Amino acid sequence: MAQGPSPPPPPPPPPTDNDKTQKTSDIIGTLRPTKLFKLSKSDTYVTSLDFDDEGLLLIAACSDSSLQLYSAQDGCHRKTLLSQKYGCHLARFSHHSESVIYASTKVDDTLRYLSTHDNSYIRYFKGHSGTVTDIALSPRDDTFLSCSTDNTVRLWNLKSQYAQARLNLSTPYLAAYDPSATVIAVASASTSSILLYDVRNYDKPPFATFDMRQYDPPPAPGGNNIPEWTKLEFSNDGKSLLVTTNHVQGHLLLDAFSGELKAHLPRPYQPTWGILRSAPSITPPKTPLGQGDTSISPDGRYVVGSSGADRDAVVWDTQGRVSKEAERKVIRPMCSLPCDRGKGAVTLWNHRYNMMATADTEVIMWLPDEHVGMKPL
């Protein structure tokens, strides 16, 4: 008796997380621009970028008082949210992907808590009397920090319009939470110091102070001697603290526990005016606002940032060879990431997926390209 055709084999099992995940070290040199989004006008600048907790959405604050929402998953523009009356900068997702906090740039210095679902305000956070220079959300809960030129750092909770605490400091323009959300770092530009606070004892003096004067370059003739720091960021393992700067000698990679300098991370080219954004310490700003042009990879090993002179991004391997140059410990970039359009004036890693975003007058999403190799400098 003839037999019918054998049944088809069962479908393969779904891929595991290991199948879908690549080590950052395997793809870091192959990141290439994949999607480019133009803004409404050629003279509009992106001033900040942020991914939501799931890494699926990207929000850009722009100099034309708009917030641009993108899908990082689908690589498409979702919607435009207007803040024409108050302006917008330093837009940060809350732990809910349909709400953001941002700083006003017009009328007053209020922080605004916005629903991106219907473009309605949930709450206002009033108190600052000077330009807000940084916003940092706790990775653990709904508290967040804001820094201002009114010489205060304020601790807020999304559930209340009133600040929970306030620090009075000299030029505390940048702040960051460590990954455990137990330590707050505050950078004081005029004193060239970084202060570490215990979140549980926020009202107590800092438990550590890092004196950065020994690492700052000498001031240019006729220039001010306030360091041009643009961003403060802990690595995900909590071991390193990156101070992004506009200095020719590059960024400062510190030991997060001792404050000891691990290495300078110099750009391959001398920064060109107009590519880098003004540091909060420069008043009035010489170039558009920004939030720093570097970002640490999720594994804590690599730093990606602008080259300073062209459209390419560059990568520093913090575990790479440290050389001694003019009595300074230096790690040179290991490779460049070619880009034929746009500049990386603002740079941000997606900490959920192997991708990053850069922006200037356009927003660019970068993904690994298996068909290209690493481009050495």
Side-chain angles (χ1 to χ4, degrees):
M1 184 174 177
Q3 294 182 346
S6 59
T16 65
D17 287 342
N18 288 336
D19 295 326
K20 295 186 289 184
T21 304
Q22 294 173 291
K23 289 183 179 179
T24 307
S25 57
D26 293 337
I27 59 90
I28 186 67
T30 67
L31 287 167
R32 295 293 185 271
T34 304
K35 286 281 187 178
L36 183 147
F37 303 94
K38 293 184 177 181
L39 302 179
S40 58
K41 297 179 180 178
S42 60
D43 61 349
T44 298
Y45 294 88
V46 173
T47 65
S48 70
L49 293 172
D50 194 46
F51 287 103
D52 72 336
D53 281 359
E54 299 303 317
L56 302 178
L57 297 173
L58 174 70
I59 195 159
C62 302
S63 60
D64 64 352
S65 302
S66 72
L67 296 163
Q68 304 296 333
L69 187 65
Y70 304 92
S71 169
Q73 184 179 34
D74 302 325
C76 64
H77 180 262
R78 282 281 186 89
K79 64 171 66 174
T80 297
L81 305 165
L82 298 179
S83 182
Q84 299 291 357
K85 181 177 180 180
Y86 302 108
C88 55
H89 181 40
L90 302 169
R92 306 285 188 255
F93 279 104
S94 71
H95 295 300
H96 191 289
S97 61
E98 291 192 341
S99 60
V100 296
I101 310 158
Y102 66 88
S104 306
T105 58
K106 297 184 288 188
V107 180
D108 58 23
D109 303 296
T110 298
L111 301 170
R112 303 182 187 279
Y113 185 21
L114 178 75
S115 166
T116 61
H117 173 67
D118 56 6
N119 199 24
S120 63
Y121 290 114
I122 302 170
R123 190 163 289 114
Y124 305 104
F125 304 97
K126 298 183 179 182
H128 282 303
S129 58
T131 301
V132 174
T133 56
D134 202 5
I135 296 175
L137 266 72
S138 167
R140 177 178 293 177
D141 54 33
D142 286 335
T143 57
F144 67 98
L145 297 167
S146 60
C147 303
S148 171
T149 57
D150 64 8
N151 292 323
T152 67
V153 179
R154 297 174 191 248
L155 178 66
W156 310 84
N157 190 298
L158 289 175
K159 298 179 178 66
S160 172
Q161 63 179 318
Y162 303 106
Q164 294 185 325
R166 185 180 75 182
L167 287 174
N168 297 308
L169 298 169
S170 175
T171 61
Y173 293 156
L174 301 171
Y177 281 92
D178 83 323
S180 68
T182 60
V183 174
I184 295 168
V186 178
S188 170
S190 64
T191 63
S192 289
S193 60
I194 296 175
L195 301 88
L196 300 187
Y197 292 87
D198 185 333
V199 173
R200 296 162 296 184
N201 298 294
Y202 187 83
D203 56 339
K204 300 293 192 298
F207 66 83
T209 301
F210 302 156
D211 186 350
M212 305 294 290
R213 287 173 294 182
Q214 58 187 314
Y215 308 132
D216 287 335
N224 74 51
N225 58 358
I226 299 178
E228 293 191 38
W229 299 341
T230 58
K231 185 178 181 180
L232 197 61
E233 182 182 8
F234 281 95
S235 60
N236 265 356
D237 57 11
K239 296 179 180 179
S240 299
L241 182 61
L242 179 66
V243 183
T244 303
T245 85
N246 282 349
H247 296 153
V248 174
Q249 73 177 23
H251 318 296
L252 305 172
L253 184 68
L254 307 177
D255 183 296
F257 300 101
S258 67
E260 179 183 354
L261 181 71
K262 291 184 175 182
H264 286 91
L265 308 180
R267 294 181 176 87
Y269 309 106
Q270 181 167 331
T272 302
W273 189 92
I275 287 185
L276 303 182
R277 300 297 177 80
S278 282
S281 58
I282 304 302
T283 306
K286 298 177 182 177
T287 54
L289 298 173
Q291 65 172 28
D293 65 327
T294 67
S295 190
I296 306 176
S297 63
D299 62 359
R301 177 173 176 176
Y302 301 97
V303 174
V304 177
S306 74
S307 66
D310 59 19
R311 295 182 174 91
D312 292 359
V314 293
V315 180
W316 292 268
D317 182 355
T318 64
Q319 297 178 15
R321 185 176 71 89
V322 179
S323 60
K324 201 73 174 290
E325 301 177 16
E327 302 304 314
R328 295 187 299 124
K329 293 186 286 187
V330 170
I331 295 177
R332 294 282 172 183
M334 60 175 280
C335 69
S336 68
L337 305 176
C339 181
D340 58 1
R341 291 195 65 183
K343 296 178 293 190
V346 181
T347 303
L348 189 66
W349 266 99
N350 186 328
H351 280 246
R352 288 285 186 176
Y353 296 94
N354 278 327
M355 71 171 295
M356 70 174 189
T358 59
D360 185 47
T361 56
E362 299 151 326
V363 175
I364 301 174
M365 294 182 183
W366 300 62
L367 290 172
D369 184 345
E370 62 182 10
H371 302 295
V372 302
M374 186 178 297
K375 180 184 176 184
L377 282 164

